[in-house]
Amino acid sequence: GYSKEILKFAKTKVQALDRDEKVLSTAKKLEKKYPQRFKFYQIKFSQIDKIIIDQADIFIFDLGLSSIQLDDLERGFSFKSNKKLDMGMGLNEITALDVINNLSENDLRSVIKFLGDEKEASKIAKNIVRYRNEKKITNTSDLVKIIEKSKKKYSSKINPCTRTFQALRIFVNKEITELI
């Protein structure tokens, strides 16, 4: 979206990067339409040194989850999905499924508490471990049920799963360390 808007100005050039392979088709269309002005790289932010940036006047970092990722229920970002727990934005080493089924209770609590600012992190982590000891957690709906049972009460303004899903997404994609 940013690239399309910037390229409306005749003398602009854009070097874009994104780790998500789902944006490749859009990027190829822009490269074809603006061959001298648009170049796309499928890399992470931490790999920005691999591209040549000629006299850049501006950098735009679009961080976090996109509506394209959230709306694709196959990717496991949405708590409305019943699909595999993935949450990967692309070029990932682990999935949310790996995290939920393999991290210790203490590590899960830390991830949920610090990356999601979740007050009920201890209870959620404990219930995740309790559940997975009986049966492997395989999809988003399993995790949603665990979180909802773990929360004492929750506001109608925000889904009770929001903070835990945010924490897992940030952890899986190394969103904070990508910028260091």
Side-chain angles (χ1 to χ4, degrees):
Y2 287 111
S3 296
K4 285 180 188 177
E5 291 302 312
I6 292 168
L7 289 166
K8 287 180 180 179
F9 297 94
K11 294 184 180 184
T12 59
K13 291 182 181 180
V14 174
Q15 293 188 48
L17 59 100
D18 199 309
R19 65 191 291 171
D20 192 344
E21 65 186 27
K22 301 283 184 173
V23 301
L24 284 174
S25 62
T26 302
K28 287 181 192 283
K29 289 175 190 171
L30 286 174
E31 283 181 326
K32 189 174 183 178
K33 187 173 180 177
Y34 304 101
Q36 302 301 313
R37 298 178 41 218
F38 182 81
K39 177 71 177 146
F40 178 77
Y41 303 89
Q42 187 182 1
I43 58 175
K44 299 177 186 180
F45 288 138
S46 62
Q47 299 168 309
I48 197 168
D49 61 332
K50 291 184 178 182
I51 65 174
I52 299 167
I53 302 168
D54 297 327
Q55 300 175 343
D57 291 323
I58 189 170
F59 288 91
I60 299 171
F61 290 87
D62 187 4
L63 307 173
L65 189 62
S66 75
S67 59
I68 294 168
Q69 293 162 330
L70 188 59
D71 293 342
D72 183 352
L73 298 181
E74 296 291 326
R75 298 181 77 174
F77 286 108
S78 172
F79 21 85
K80 297 175 185 173
S81 172
N82 189 25
K83 302 297 180 179
K84 180 183 168 195
L85 271 165
D86 186 337
M87 298 190 191
M89 292 179 171
L91 305 174
N92 291 76
E93 297 164 10
I94 60 171
T95 66
L97 185 74
D98 299 325
V99 174
I100 289 299
N101 285 294
N102 297 307
L103 283 187
S104 69
E105 182 179 327
N106 190 47
D107 288 344
L108 275 171
R109 181 194 56 76
S110 294
V111 166
I112 296 167
K113 181 177 181 180
F114 296 114
L115 298 179
D117 195 30
E118 174 58 67
K119 292 177 180 141
E120 305 276 352
S122 294
K123 193 167 186 181
I124 293 168
K126 180 180 277 192
N127 287 336
I128 287 170
V129 171
R130 184 179 295 151
Y131 185 96
R132 77 178 189 208
N133 285 339
E134 307 256 332
K135 178 185 168 201
K136 184 176 180 178
I137 300 167
T138 58
N139 57 50
T140 55
S141 61
D142 288 343
L143 183 56
V144 164
K145 289 174 192 169
I146 295 166
I147 296 167
E148 287 176 343
K149 288 179 183 177
S150 301
K151 303 277 283 192
K152 292 179 183 171
K153 58 181 178 176
Y154 44 89
S155 164
S156 60
K157 292 179 186 177
I158 180 173
N159 186 294
C161 302
T162 300
R163 293 178 186 275
T164 301
F165 272 61
Q166 170 189 296
L168 292 170
R169 187 202 79 228
I170 290 170
F171 186 78
V172 165
N173 294 289
K174 300 180 180 179
E175 291 179 43
I176 295 171
T177 57
E178 275 299 304
L179 298 174
I180 297 175

